Amino acid sequence: MPRDERAPKPDAPVFEGAERLQKVLAAAGVGSRRACEDLIFRRQVTVNGRVAKLGDRADPTRDVIHVDGERLQVDTRLVYLAMNKPRGVVSTMADEKGRAALSDFISNRVEQRVYHVGRLDADSEGLLLLTNDGTLAHRLMHPSYGVSKTYLCEVAGPIPRSLGRRLAAGIELEDGPVTVDSFKLVDTLGKTAQVELTLHEGRKHIVRRLLDEVGHPVARLVRTAIGPIRLGDLRAGRTRRLTNAEVAALFKAVGD
């Protein structure tokens, strides 16, 4: 009797929590089940690196699924948030000294326990990512993955034309050299200036130390982007859930 082509291949284990693949995709927001079946039929879906077929099943808590080459997060237990951290808030979930902390802003908005990805010092503000996906968080923070971060800074001016080239060439700090990927003068106002810089560094107070070293101490620092995720018009103290496309872009940024 011919083998049912819709059934998963023997080398594709089916876990106890597995569901029809189109149902998993639809639950993740890809589209209707009919649209997801069409994606599978067109061989645009892979499960654990294997091209999926109609009739395949997947476990959203175990399997790695890509659609059109982009990683899709299908585990509904995982949460991905962007937050605009206000100035004066410490980058911890709780603070033993009683200072305002991240949990003060998310405790009533998220049921799951999440953790911040990296830090911003209390005097800095802007984009923080929060998640309970430990693997992705580790990759985003680890220097070997080289995820860029962009900052908008108010600094002492005036800014010489040569500063961008000097920063790109590298500045020696007490704990080693640092270079920036891009630098732009955004605006000038009297004796102050707004500059934007992007770098892959994650050392403590790296942006403040860098600009202080070249004679332009920072009066205000706002992180505006982490990799492909931008702060946008998110108001201070507010959070939002990342879209499926943004989560996929984060996975892509760390090579998944």
Side-chain angles (χ1 to χ4, degrees):
M1 186 169 68
R3 178 177 174 270
D4 186 352
E5 288 297 326
R6 296 174 301 172
K9 294 181 179 179
D11 60 351
V14 177
F15 297 109
E16 184 177 348
E19 301 175 292
R20 285 294 179 103
L21 182 55
Q22 60 265 38
K23 180 180 179 181
V24 174
L25 296 177
V30 174
S32 67
R33 289 196 191 183
R34 180 64 61 85
C36 294
E37 288 175 353
D38 189 54
L39 288 171
I40 298 169
F41 176 77
R42 294 177 183 275
R43 301 174 63 85
Q44 294 174 260
V45 181
T46 63
V47 180
N48 300 329
R50 168 182 164 273
V51 177
K53 294 182 178 180
L54 288 173
D56 282 358
R57 303 172 75 86
D59 184 342
T61 67
R62 294 173 180 254
D63 292 323
V64 176
I65 299 175
H66 287 75
V67 178
D68 285 335
E70 293 191 346
R71 172 78 174 266
L72 179 67
Q73 185 47 258
V74 294
D75 189 345
T76 57
R77 301 173 303 173
L78 297 178
V79 177
Y80 305 87
L81 302 173
M83 177 183 180
N84 186 347
K85 186 191 86 68
R87 190 170 187 170
V89 176
V90 294
S91 290
T92 58
M93 300 311 296
D95 183 64
E96 59 184 16
K97 297 180 180 179
R99 296 173 294 182
L102 301 179
S103 61
D104 297 329
F105 297 86
I106 66 170
S107 58
N108 295 327
R109 303 178 190 178
V110 184
E111 293 182 1
Q112 296 90 335
R113 187 176 183 181
V114 296
Y115 304 90
H116 50 93
V117 179
R119 292 176 180 268
L120 281 172
D121 63 72
D123 290 332
S124 299
E125 53 198 292
L127 182 62
L128 268 179
L129 299 180
L130 301 104
T131 184
N132 56 355
D133 186 337
T135 300
L136 179 61
H138 170 74
R139 293 183 179 184
L140 289 171
M141 290 186 289
H142 200 283
S144 65
Y145 289 94
V147 177
S148 64
K149 301 174 185 66
T150 302
Y151 301 86
L152 183 65
C153 304
E154 183 178 298
V155 302
I159 303 298
R161 291 185 179 182
S162 61
L163 182 58
R165 293 192 299 272
R166 185 181 174 190
L167 293 173
I171 302 297
E172 188 70 34
L173 300 179
E174 66 274 12
D175 54 353
V178 58
T179 59
V180 302
D181 302 310
S182 66
F183 176 85
K184 180 173 66 175
L185 174 61
V186 177
D187 197 9
T188 58
L189 180 62
K191 295 182 179 181
T192 64
Q194 280 191 343
V195 298
E196 180 185 82
L197 65 159
T198 300
L199 67 166
H200 289 79
E201 286 279 357
R203 283 178 276 170
K204 188 174 182 179
H205 303 312
I206 189 67
V207 176
R208 293 182 182 274
R209 292 192 290 129
L210 172 64
L211 291 173
D212 188 62
E213 180 68 24
V214 295
H216 300 280
V218 175
R220 184 185 181 194
L221 183 149
V222 181
R223 184 158 63 196
T224 58
I226 299 175
I229 310 303
R230 302 198 65 83
L231 180 64
D233 58 2
L234 186 64
R235 290 186 295 171
R238 301 302 298 269
T239 61
R240 68 172 180 84
R241 290 183 181 265
L242 300 186
T243 65
N244 287 338
E246 287 176 318
V247 175
L250 282 176
F251 279 115
K252 188 174 183 179
V254 296
D256 194 342

